[in-house]
Amino acid sequence: MTARLPCPIPAHADLAPGADPTVVTRGHIGSPDPRPNARRLLQGRGTYIDDLRVPRLAHVVFLRSPHAHARILKIDSSTASRAPGVLGVFDGPAIAAICKPWVGVLAHLKGIKSAEQYPLAIERACWQGEPVVAIVAETRAQAEDARELIEVQWEVLPAITDMDASLAGDPVLHPELGDNICFERSVDTGGIDEVFAQADVVVEETFQFGRHTGVCPEGRSILADYNAAEHSLLVHHSTQAPHMIHDVLARHFDIPEAQVRVLCHDVGGAYGIKVHVYPDEICTVATSILLRRPVKFVADRMESFVSDIHAREHKATVRLAARHDGTILGIDLRDLTAIGPYSMYPRTSGIEGNQVVNLTGGPYRHQHYRAHMQAVFTNKNVTCQYRAVGHPIAVAITEGIVDLAAERLGIDPAEFRRRNLIPDDAYPYAFPSGVRFEQLSHQQCLDRLLELMDYEHLRADQAAARARGCYRGIGLAAMIEVTNPSAAFYGVGGARISSQDGATVRLEPTGALTVLCSVTEQGQGTETVFAQIAADVLGVSMERVRVITGDTAATPYGGGTWGSRGAGIGGEAVLQSARALRAQVLDAAAAILSCDKAQLDIAQDAVIDRLSGQTRLSLAELGRICYYRPDTLPAGFQSELVATRHYVPRDYAFAFTNGIQASWVEVDIETGFVQLLGHWCVEDCGTVINPLLVDEQIRGGVVQGLGAALLEECCYDDQGQMLNAHLGDYLVPMALEMPDIVCAHVQTPTRTSELGAKGAGEAGTAGAPAAVMNAINDALRPLAARVTAQPFTPERILAALGRV
Amino acid sequence: MKPSPFDYVRATNLTEALALLERHGEQAQILAGGQTLIATLNMRLSAPDWLIDITRIPGLSGITLTETHLVIGALTTHREIERSALVAQYAPLLGQAAPHIAHAAIRNSGTIGGSIAFADPAAEWPACCVALDARFVIQALSGERRVSARTFFRGLYDTDRAAHEIITAIEIPRERAPRRSVFMELARRHGDYAIVGVALLGRVDQGRLSDVAIGYVGAGATPLLAQGAMAALEGQAADADVLARAKAALAQDLDPSGDLYNSPATKRHLAAVLLERAVKQLLA
Ligand SMILES: Cc1cc2nc3c(=O)[nH]c(=O)nc-3n(C[C@H](O)[C@H](O)[C@H](O)COP(=O)(O)OP(=O)(O)OC[C@H]3O[C@@H](n4cnc5c(N)ncnc54)[C@H](O)[C@@H]3O)c2cc1C
């Protein structure tokens, strides 16, 4: 049940432009309203693509390359084509005939290059799991049976699996590109060598990060329904960005934009995995066009592991120069990352490395920075943007080297951070790499964190434990986070991805509200947040607000969900459209009541007298009159009970947020097992619209970060075979191993919007791995052991301890 | 992930099931709790023509006591064993091991017979049975036989059971006074198959150990009886020297292969750590 909260009166004086954004109304905004859709989902009444049944539905499965790199000599599908239930078997050329290929590059990532990619491999497969043949049948089981009858003759080619070997460029994966470097980027503020030469201390470390992936409860899935009679395409898709997909389908299949519709139902988790253009999904659309009937594809768990994007395979060497007093003088970084055989379309696989360069050292106030990053091709699954893109790498590199410097100088890590974090009164502030911060709260967050975790007490506990031969450690990780991205993220590079979002708010005849928003929902509660905002602005109770998202035929145009933008950008669009509607409702009320609009307000589902608070007219009555008896309104008055507004951040490229996390662990030095005893996160996402949902986002994000730190890795052999492509061996974090995660917030609303909300969805994932790494190393410090390669498996810890 | 097509028969009595197995030989698979088999079918790692469901056969489930043995029917679920008062009294080791098997939902369906038949070296029941010197009752149309757990497991997923035979029960020798026992394992997440685990039985009299039995999980191609370590501990007070000798003996006793995350050397190290911890707990 939705909690009802009293709506304060007068709730919402219309804000003048430039008014203090922190004065956003407080009613539902700021209250921990539970998600109305949670009940539906928990009762099993969600609708996922797998639940959809339409007449004449066919099912497609893919024969995927069993090799990391192989030439396709011959495909014999003659037996499979005649197998029971089979409707069609298609190879690369058959699909390419109706679908234009793509290249995952963007103009603002200077020099990025990649090769043409097709829905199904043509002539050559470049990773184990690349789709090669599509088999469509009446049932999924029949399609899988037929798949076993296909014979492919392969000529196995040498696979590039190691990133250093790839960099050396022998062989070159795509000869037409000249070398294996997909993208490289450098930043240099100048003078770094002198700074290092003159520093009191210089510390250096190499950090390694295992590949992992975002494991969505609902696998990737799509149901494509091509209608030949009108050359139209309806696609039911489990995606984060329906308008982006809409545009891609229209262009690559030459179908007029107006004849495409992308519809999302419930999306069972996405984490960035479902914001890309996947060959098998595009191929599903192609088979629907070729067969002129609806075709469904649902990725099963095993194929998800070799076809959902991976992320974060990095090796970074970082140096930090400091003075005796702990002042950080400069940071020098070299990062190498392997992205698979292609840059992903349309967002590219260059962004993660780019973010590492942008964000490393970000919380601190040193003035010298040099970084060089290279992203190289390999014959493993493609990598791309997964929750917190680049942040977990940058934060671990930064916080790992900061802890090492603190240790070398004998300064407590909390104190070391206090001395170096950008002071809260230093804003606006430009970081040496060029990014600009509007207003951050590092010092406040640090204070709050130390108080929340009772730092001194934990240090005492740690000392007492050590006396008993028990090794406990504390790890801190400060961070900055990119949220509310403007067009600077993709649009400027030529990507047809909207950074602007829109909302339409409509008053229905019963006084209910319908909100249509281009930002989508994947389980994080975005729709609840929109309902809260609309309810507050219009004085309507939450139960009477219905939110519709994820339908390109219904909602305004927009970017969807990615980059921690849903609440900050979509929420502001809802706020502005609700404000516009509010003014229109008051116009109608003034017309009905023959009074001055300025005397009226709206609260508790009714138009009220602004001064006395007396009810003048219920919204239901207003709706009835405007819709059914417009004849009774004053001559010449036309009511408009719907409004649409859009929002895109313009003042800053990104609304940076900040935060800090702490991890408290115990390491069993005989077994190398790490027990997570506690985790804390204090972050500043500006206005907290719904503390319950923000905390859920933080906790969920932290858990994914803990998975990265301790458990998750896509393990490959040197032939490019993924060895753990199922949930038995790919270890996701589970509840029993998770610590309590305590969240707190400092609120520094962004002045770039009236709502003041910044993103929160990726903060947990960004900082958790670094906090755990530092905690483990803090525990191991008396034994002079360190770990730097994630995930920190028992074996790696034992090896660091010299026990195996 | 859909299995290859198969025919399904739900046997109503043992003779019917055995006759079907005789007829279809290697083409048939017995379906018990399905917690291993269904996954292998869906992943098409196994594609039998026939599934013979034995779960409705009367008399294959439940825990009873005879003069000489604690008898556990093959269809008894992990959960029933975990909760059984008879087990707690006569073979507490099994009760200690049960919570380590998978998750509650799986323990509610998975059976001890299935676990023994599947013979995963990383599974708990096989190693416990080896330590307890249990025997398995194996039925064919031609008759019934009993095989010691210590000879039943022959190699990786390879057992003494022929394709046409059904395991009907597990018999654990009754002891006048049950030995103390400890079960310990190392798994990175609750419910995962162990990296390595140990089942330890013994009596403690004035600090000295006797009737020691040690079974190992995940330390070789089969569940293993650590005879060298047993001999090193038998009749001894487990002081540092004795423990060191027992741990050293594991080098011969165990033969672990590596897995994705652990080398054989790591597993040997962990097995030794567990032995010391288990002995200390047994003595405590
Ligand atoms: C996620 C997960 C985690 C797990 N973790 C663990 C774990 O930590 N430890 C552990 O021990 N197990 C674990 N298991 C396996 C589980 O314990 C199984 O229940 C057990 O291994 C098999 O029992 P079953 O009754 O389910 O057998 P089934 O799956 O039905 O059958 C397994 C095999 O045994 C044969 N078989 C079954 N019964 C008999 C019989 N009476 N006579 C002859 N052959 C027979 C079948 O033909 C088949 O080949 C896990 C399973 C899952 C899904």
Side-chain angles (χ1 to χ4, degrees), chain A residues 683-745:
Chain A
E683 65 77 61
D684 183 346
C685 62
T687 305
V688 173
I689 303 166
N690 185 324
L692 178 71
L693 293 175
V694 171
D695 286 359
E696 279 182 9
Q697 282 296 300
I698 300 290
R699 291 202 180 91
V702 164
V703 166
Q704 278 181 317
L706 297 176
L710 296 174
L711 297 163
E712 297 185 54
E713 182 169 15
C714 300
C715 302
Y716 276 84
D717 68 12
D718 56 11
Q719 303 298 305
Q721 294 288 318
M722 185 171 166
L723 302 173
N724 57 344
H726 59 91
L727 284 172
D729 283 341
Y730 181 94
L731 307 179
V732 292
M734 292 172 75
L736 286 170
E737 280 67 46
M738 292 300 105
D740 281 347
I741 300 164
V742 181
C743 307
H745 308 279

Side-chain angles (χ1 to χ4, degrees), chain A residues 105-138:
Chain A
V105 296
L106 287 173
H108 66 316
L109 302 176
K110 292 203 175 47
I112 191 168
K113 55 187 193 271
S114 187
E116 273 195 345
Q117 204 183 350
Y118 295 85
L120 295 176
I122 294 180
E123 287 174 16
R124 182 172 71 130
C126 288
W127 84 90
Q128 173 222 13
E130 181 171 4
V132 176
V133 185
I135 304 102
V136 187
E138 297 284 355

Side-chain angles (χ1 to χ4, degrees), chain B residues 29-30 32-37 78 102 106 110-111 114 117 123-124 167 193:
Chain B
Q29 280 272 2
I30 296 165
Q35 296 303 297
T36 295
L37 184 57
H78 309 326
I106 294 160
T111 68
E124 287 77 4
I167 300 172
Y193 278 106

Side-chain angles (χ1 to χ4, degrees), chain A residues 4 7-12 535-541 582 586 601-608 613 615 617-619:
Chain A
R4 271 292 322 260
C7 196
I9 303 169
H12 3 67
D536 262 7
V537 174
L538 280 150
V540 167
S541 45
R582 191 185 129 74
L586 291 177
D601 199 347
I602 315 176
Q604 287 168 321
D605 300 303
V607 176
I608 59 168
T615 301
L617 179 69
S618 72
L619 289 177

Side-chain angles (χ1 to χ4, degrees), chain A residues 554-572:
Chain A
T555 73
Y557 200 94
T561 301
W562 45 271
S564 291
R565 62 195 300 285
I569 296 179
E572 180 70 8

